[in-house]
Amino acid sequence: MLAPVAEDSPVIRSRANAQLKDARAVARGREGGRVLLEGARLVADALRPESPLVVESVLVREGEEPPSAPPGTVRFVAPAALDGVGTLRTTPPVVAVASVPAPRGADALAERLAAAGSTALVVCVSGVADHGNLGALARSAEATGADAFVVAGAGDCAAGAVGNGVVRRGVVATSLGTSGVVFAHSEAP
């Protein structure tokens, strides 16, 4: 984890900058427990007080409006230096590196379903290869009032879903691959 840098710091102009290298490593999945959020909406969602994510750094393309973020987390980056950070064909003007809290375990899913009773609506998906599609499915499940969102297979997609905004109250994402993982929003650790 890198130390926060003040917003009045010089614009990052080199692709070899430590924060850009860190963001690329996170995007490639080389930094366990951390995700790269790509796009202003995802970054804004992660910066909300109820988000379980801890935003470590926000990288903003030079000339763009930065999001409202804690002091010391925003750095402006020259467009040529920001290009290629992330997994999208075109790097959005705002990206952020965030820490993901440890999953609470299968008990979170059981608690959620017990609270819903016999009318629980559980959306189950399997083998979704694109985390963007997984995020869209999770948002659709949330919009329909689903009590749980279960992901089978492609465990890294569950982590990708968190990076794509599956961080809202009431949405539980579960990966049932070689190791079962449950992601759930919680007001308390």
Side-chain angles (χ1 to χ4, degrees):
M1 180 183 313
L2 299 174
V5 179
E7 284 82 353
D8 59 355
S9 296
V11 173
I12 296 172
R13 301 204 176 278
S14 170
R15 293 178 56 82
N17 174 276
Q19 281 190 290
L20 293 178
K21 285 182 176 180
D22 182 57
R24 286 192 294 273
V26 170
R28 289 189 298 269
R30 295 186 181 160
E31 298 288 325
R34 299 168 75 209
V35 293
L36 183 73
L37 307 170
E38 300 179 69
R41 182 175 152 252
L42 293 178
V43 173
D45 283 351
L47 289 166
R48 293 173 49 186
E50 64 271 13
S51 171
L53 300 176
V54 177
V55 175
E56 299 172 14
S57 64
V58 179
L59 303 171
V60 179
R61 183 177 291 134
E62 184 178 25
E64 297 286 337
E65 185 68 28
S68 177
T73 57
V74 175
R75 284 296 303 269
F76 288 97
V77 183
L82 190 60
D83 286 345
V85 171
T87 61
L88 303 174
R89 187 177 322 167
T90 303
T91 304
V94 179
V95 297
V97 173
S99 297
V100 179
R104 291 176 49 206
D107 290 341
L109 179 58
E111 289 171 16
R112 182 80 179 144
L113 294 177
S118 63
T119 61
L121 172 61
V122 179
V123 175
C124 300
V125 297
S126 177
V128 179
D130 184 306
H131 59 263
N133 291 341
L134 188 60
L137 289 167
R139 288 187 294 277
S140 297
E142 178 186 22
T144 61
D147 295 293
F149 182 74
V150 179
V151 180
D156 57 344
C157 284
V162 172
N164 278 286
V166 184
V167 294
R168 293 173 184 86
R169 181 182 327 217
V171 175
V172 179
T174 304
S175 170
L176 302 175
T178 52
S179 60
V181 178
V182 176
F183 291 96
H185 171 79
S186 174
E187 297 288 331

